Amino acid sequence: LHLKYMIEVDKYGSISKAATHLYLNQPRLSKIIKEIEAEMNIKIFERHSKGVTPTKKGRQFLDRAISIVLGNCFRQVSDSYA
């Protein structure tokens, strides 16, 4: 679930916009991002006054997160037809 959160932040370029879309409050989503960054020992997003942008390592993390989330979706769809 947290991977989806990170993908939404990247999609909107804003923690507050992503939080609204995810029905979370902004402080909670910010805390989740900081926890993931600490756990992974990388800075995923650069914070700016107008939003966020992924760092180089953050982009690699997000690309991998997208492939994991999409892979899970495809598996769920194919399993439902099995």
Side-chain angles (χ1 to χ4, degrees):
L1 190 58
H2 288 173
L3 291 179
K4 290 181 183 180
Y5 292 172
M6 303 299 274
I7 293 166
E8 289 296 304
V9 171
D10 182 40
K11 176 181 171 182
Y12 288 99
S14 164
I15 295 171
S16 59
K17 287 180 185 175
T20 299
H21 180 75
L22 294 164
Y23 304 103
L24 295 170
N25 62 41
Q26 183 271 330
R28 175 71 181 129
L29 184 54
S30 290
K31 183 178 179 197
I32 290 168
I33 292 168
K34 287 178 185 174
E35 288 170 355
I36 293 170
E37 288 177 327
E39 185 177 323
M40 301 299 295
N41 199 30
I42 63 169
K43 187 172 185 178
I44 298 170
F45 294 106
E46 287 288 341
R47 283 112 173 124
H48 309 283
S49 60
K50 297 200 179 218
V52 297
T53 54
T55 63
K56 184 176 179 180
K57 288 192 182 263
R59 173 53 46 211
Q60 293 170 346
F61 174 89
L62 291 162
D63 289 344
R64 182 70 180 132
I66 290 166
S67 68
I68 290 168
V69 169
L70 287 177
N72 287 339
C73 289
F74 287 130
R75 268 193 300 283
Q76 288 173 355
V77 169
S78 66
D79 289 349
S80 69
Y81 287 101

